[in-house]
Amino acid sequence: MIIDTVYESIIKKLTTDGKIENISQELRKKDNNNDRVLFVYKIFDYYNFFPNTLEVSKDDNASTHFRNLGNQCYTKKDLYKAWQYYNLSLMYAPSDSISFCLALSNRSAVFFELSKFKGCLRDIDLCFSYKYSEQIKDKLIKRKELCIEALCKIKKEEDDPEIQDILSFKGLKSEQYIGANLKLNVVSSKEMGRHVVAKQDIQVGEILVEEEPYTQIISGNQMLFACNHCLSTQINLIPCKDCCFALYCSEECRTNSWKEYHYVECPLMPTLIDMSFTKLELLALRIVIKARSEHDDWNSLYKIIEDAESNVDTEYHGHVKVGDKWIYDSKYYTSIHTLATNFDKRSVSDIFQKSVTAAVFLKFLLDKTDFLNADSDEEKNEICRCVAGLLLLHIMTVPTNMHGLTVTTDNGEGKYVSEINVSSGAYAFHSLFNHSCAPNVVRFTKRGTSKMKLVALRPIKKGMQIFDNYGFHHGLQDCTERQSALKFQYKFVCMCEACVNLWPTYFQLLMHQKRIPNKILRHKNKWLTTNIIDRLQNGDMDTVKKFYHKICALCEELDSFAPSTELCDCQEALKQCLFILQGLVLYSYNQKVDWTLKPF
């Protein structure tokens, strides 16, 4: 049963029993998240509505099943699907089994066919460390020899200094807001809440923030291609030793994942996947687990929460004191705990639905893990109250504060114009940026990492606010559509320049061209020709190196003529440069294979 079905079933039952209005009134009266979740928990317990959990264990038959599916794809030269099936075979294989060894061997064959020779060698060497490798020894030795021969013919890649220069953070960093450029300042107002303004003029192309997340969660379509902990694209992934649903790039990541959250998630993974919880709901659960894991005991966490909440709406909102300095850093739970929930803007039905998810998570934690264990019933009740409240808190903060990481992929026809969502993460400083339908910054993340960077997309004068974009842009949607979507998801009415001045969409702008000075048009016709745009869409790095700084300069020149098609084209070209710099992926990486948790 998926979580949406659970919610619909309880609503239907309460409506049939004539209790929905009374329950809504009771929920309104609750003045804290702890009581809201525990109230819903009791309702579920009374009606016996909690879903059953699912058990899935390592199994030779399941591993063989997925390996056979991989073999079928390999025979058809559908190598990226074969790769995914062999990783599934690896995850389901009992440790130190023939199935584990065969999955590694077959995966190495895929890597050889894809010319990923170093990865092929690593899998072969790992395979040789198992006793069962004798059965396939001759085949592996031959493949290893071919890999070594091929590698001798390949020129070693070196870091390109031009690319490194574009991606480097050149300004001074704040000692208070860790990872932020010293040109930025965080202020607060009743109308805008906490937000970020420029202390100095900022040019297009400047990197303004570099930030690692508190934690992140990988998207389902990428869990078989990247490290489920650090997002590394190192291809020799190794599975969790206990469950069938996590892959890691190294023993270090497998260990760190276990210490931070996976020791709790591990027995829950089959159920969490089977019930189709969203990645944002799962991220909320992971934040709560990590918050406890990084503190010595529950009392230490209680103290952190108490201190954090005492500083809300002060100059040290979300800060922690390190030595004699107050700092704001995603590294610390405090910065995530104090993000806005928009509770007063939520409907009762929305709060009830989110409380349902929190109550279900709480039930799973109680029944399937020792996360909530304590020495006495009194202590356990206190822990349950705390976790219940934290689950609801983060289920509310995650949708409006967390950020998705994407990479650009080709559309199947060689044009790199599509996106793949890689993960979602908790970035405290990036959460401080307000939205504009005509943003002056853009986010990007180097593929295989979780470090998010913020780049100036428009010239920003001293005193101006820094505006991100929440997914609704004046060039793509009209004002009515944007306002409706932002109100629904983010609970605010947008008052950006594009909405207030009713800026046209891109296609509407085509019918009302602005008069751009000839000098600027000459630059555009020289630096942003149809051929250059085409090369950028083809993912050509040499074009990026040659024209990136020129495109930045052109964005500066065109900004005073916003809105215009010329500026939109230029900004899109700049973003395409960043997409290429962050790392492109082939269309095949987005071709998710079909699989079931229990194939038999």
Side-chain angles (χ1 to χ4, degrees):
M1 183 181 291
I2 65 174
I3 188 62
D4 287 345
T5 304
V6 172
Y7 176 72
E8 290 166 4
S9 298
I10 191 68
I11 290 295
K12 183 177 180 180
K13 178 63 177 175
L14 294 174
T15 302
T16 301
D17 289 359
K19 295 184 177 180
I20 190 70
E21 185 58 37
N22 288 338
I23 286 173
S24 296
Q25 290 176 5
E26 284 297 314
L27 191 60
R28 283 192 189 97
K29 294 177 183 177
K30 306 298 179 186
D31 62 0
N32 61 74
N33 289 332
N34 315 46
D35 288 341
R36 293 175 188 116
V37 175
L38 294 176
F39 173 68
V40 172
Y41 188 99
K42 290 177 181 177
I43 295 171
F44 263 61
D45 207 27
Y46 177 80
Y47 283 101
N48 196 27
F49 259 110
F50 282 116
N52 295 323
T53 54
L54 186 66
E55 300 281 349
V56 177
S57 303
K58 305 264 187 192
D59 180 73
D60 270 317
N61 291 328
S63 178
T64 301
H65 168 76
F66 288 122
R67 189 174 71 253
N68 288 337
L69 290 176
N71 292 343
Q72 293 172 23
C73 292
Y74 182 84
T75 301
K76 298 174 184 176
K77 296 297 181 182
D78 199 344
L79 298 176
Y80 285 86
K81 286 188 177 179
W83 180 355
Q84 293 177 75
Y85 278 126
Y86 291 146
N87 273 342
L88 282 165
S89 179
L90 199 64
M91 289 196 292
Y92 275 80
S95 299
D96 196 25
S97 66
I98 181 63
S99 295
F100 193 93
C101 196
L102 290 173
L104 276 176
S105 173
N106 288 16
R107 189 174 71 177
S108 76
V110 169
F111 293 161
F112 182 82
E113 292 297 324
L114 291 171
S115 299
K116 298 180 183 292
F117 301 118
K118 290 182 180 179
C120 179
L121 285 174
R122 284 192 291 265
D123 267 4
I124 291 172
D125 288 342
L126 182 58
C127 209
F128 279 143
S129 69
Y130 289 90
K131 60 184 178 183
Y132 299 104
S133 64
E134 286 295 321
Q135 301 179 28
I136 48 176
K137 182 178 179 180
D138 292 342
K139 186 194 309 183
L140 291 177
I141 289 174
K142 180 62 176 176
R143 190 176 297 150
K144 184 171 184 176
E145 290 173 350
L146 291 172
C147 278
I148 294 171
E149 182 181 336
L151 283 171
C152 290
K153 300 176 182 178
I154 297 174
K155 184 179 179 181
K156 184 179 179 181
E157 292 186 9
E158 297 180 356
D159 290 338
D160 190 314
E162 289 183 69
I163 295 173
Q164 295 303 313
D165 180 67
I166 292 171
L167 297 177
S168 65
F169 190 110
K170 298 182 176 65
L172 298 174
K173 288 188 177 180
S174 169
E175 293 184 0
Q176 180 179 0
Y177 292 95
I178 306 303
N181 196 305
L182 202 55
K183 290 185 177 183
L184 304 182
N185 189 32
V186 178
V187 296
S188 183
S189 70
K190 184 178 180 181
E191 297 77 17
M192 305 297 293
R194 286 188 296 169
H195 57 281
V196 184
V197 297
K199 291 197 291 185
Q200 302 175 38
D201 290 351
I202 295 168
Q203 294 182 325
V204 173
E206 284 194 59
I207 295 178
L208 303 179
V209 184
E210 288 183 329
E211 184 178 25
E212 294 281 4
Y214 178 70
T215 191
Q216 70 269 332
I217 194 160
I218 196 166
S219 298
N221 65 341
Q222 292 300 295
M223 67 172 287
L224 297 175
F225 281 125
C227 178
N228 294 188
H229 181 66
C230 76
L231 309 182
S232 168
T233 51
Q234 196 279 102
I235 60 178
N236 301 95
L237 301 175
I238 56 176
C240 171
K241 294 178 180 179
D242 295 290
C243 78
C244 309
F245 308 104
L247 289 164
Y248 303 102
C249 66
S250 64
E251 187 60 48
E252 180 183 8
C253 272
R254 183 159 65 180
T255 300
N256 289 340
S257 169
W258 185 266
K259 288 179 179 178
E260 291 180 18
Y261 51 82
H262 196 63
Y263 74 100
V264 177
E265 291 180 355
C266 191
L268 302 179
M269 291 296 286
T271 306
L272 297 177
I273 294 172
D274 185 57
M275 288 188 64
S276 299
F277 287 99
T278 68
K279 64 183 180 228
L280 295 180
E281 290 169 330
L282 296 175
L283 181 57
L285 173 62
R286 182 168 293 181
I287 289 170
V288 175
I289 297 169
K290 186 180 178 185
R292 166 60 187 90
S293 302
E294 66 184 13
H295 295 94
D296 292 336
D297 50 43
W298 285 102
N299 287 330
S300 299
L301 179 58
Y302 299 156
K303 183 65 168 63
I304 289 293
I305 292 171
E306 181 184 352
D307 291 345
E309 293 179 352
S310 69
N311 283 327
V312 170
D313 295 332
T314 73
E315 63 177 315
Y316 298 124
H317 188 144
H319 289 58
V320 295
K321 196 168 187 180
V322 179
D324 60 348
K325 294 181 180 178
W326 286 94
I327 64 171
Y328 186 88
D329 188 352
S330 277
K331 175 181 176 181
Y332 298 102
Y333 174 65
T334 296
S335 64
I336 306 302
H337 182 82
T338 52
L339 294 174
T341 64
N342 293 309
F343 178 83
D344 57 340
K345 299 175 183 177
R346 297 184 182 277
S347 66
V348 174
S349 62
D350 181 50
I351 295 167
F352 183 75
Q353 184 170 9
K354 287 176 168 53
S355 297
V356 165
T357 301
V360 171
F361 280 159
L362 186 65
K363 177 66 172 176
F364 292 164
L365 292 170
L366 278 165
D367 289 356
K368 298 294 293 181
T369 78
D370 59 5
F371 185 63
L372 305 175
N373 285 4
D375 293 333
S376 69
D377 289 343
E378 183 180 356
E379 288 180 33
K380 186 170 185 175
N381 289 336
E382 185 179 8
I383 292 169
C384 286
R385 278 186 56 80
C386 175
V387 170
L390 292 180
L391 286 168
L392 181 54
L393 170 74
H394 293 299
I395 289 170
M396 289 191 289
T397 59
V398 159
T400 55
N401 288 285
M402 302 304 119
H403 293 81
L405 275 63
T406 62
V407 293
T408 300
T409 180
D410 71 283
N411 58 3
E413 300 175 356
K415 295 292 184 183
Y416 288 90
V417 293
S418 303
E419 285 188 349
I420 298 175
N421 187 283
V422 174
S423 70
S424 293
Y427 296 85
F429 194 83
H430 278 85
S431 297
L432 300 180
F433 296 107
N434 283 326
H435 163 84
S436 171
C437 301
N440 51 22
V441 293
V442 61
R443 288 174 273 117
F444 86 103
T445 307
K446 187 75 173 172
R447 180 175 176 243
T449 74
S450 56
K451 181 183 285 185
M452 185 173 285
K453 299 188 179 187
L454 193 76
V455 181
L457 186 62
R458 301 175 66 182
I460 305 168
K461 297 296 183 183
K462 178 181 178 180
M464 289 177 62
Q465 186 172 171
I466 313 298
F467 285 111
D468 195 359
N469 181 265
Y470 294 0
F472 305 96
H473 195 282
H474 81 87
L476 300 176
Q477 302 103 358
D478 64 30
C479 185
T480 302
E481 183 182 352
R482 299 195 309 269
Q483 291 280 357
S484 176
L486 289 165
K487 180 73 173 177
F488 175 78
Q489 183 171 348
Y490 295 100
K491 317 301 179 189
F492 70 87
V493 176
C494 185
M495 297 296 291
C496 74
E497 59 182 326
C499 288
V500 171
N501 298 314
L502 298 176
W503 282 12
T505 64
Y506 182 84
F507 291 107
Q508 290 169 336
L509 285 169
L510 287 172
M511 296 182 287
H512 301 89
Q513 294 281 356
K514 283 193 173 181
R515 290 185 64 84
I516 308 294
N518 288 333
K519 178 183 177 181
I520 299 177
L521 285 178
R522 283 197 299 271
H523 288 164
K524 182 179 184 296
N525 294 334
K526 183 179 180 181
W527 299 337
L528 204 59
T529 64
T530 302
N531 179 259
I532 290 170
I533 292 173
D534 191 56
R535 279 148 55 189
L536 289 175
Q537 290 183 347
N538 288 336
D540 186 66
M541 184 65 79
D542 288 336
T543 303
V544 174
K545 292 191 290 185
K546 185 174 181 179
F547 290 100
Y548 178 78
H549 292 297
K550 292 180 174 66
I551 292 171
C552 287
L554 188 56
C555 282
E556 294 261 359
E557 291 183 318
L558 285 167
D559 194 71
S560 60
F561 300 95
S564 67
T565 55
E566 291 82 1
L567 178 60
C568 288
D569 289 342
C570 195
Q571 289 178 343
E572 289 306 307
L574 176 55
K575 287 190 278 187
Q576 185 68 14
C577 288
L578 293 173
F579 296 155
I580 295 170
L581 289 167
Q582 75 179 11
L584 303 171
V585 298
L586 296 173
Y587 177 72
S588 301
Y589 278 91
N590 202 26
Q591 302 306 293
K592 184 179 178 181
V593 295
D594 293 325
W595 62 287
T596 57
L597 298 179
K598 301 184 80 168
F600 302 108

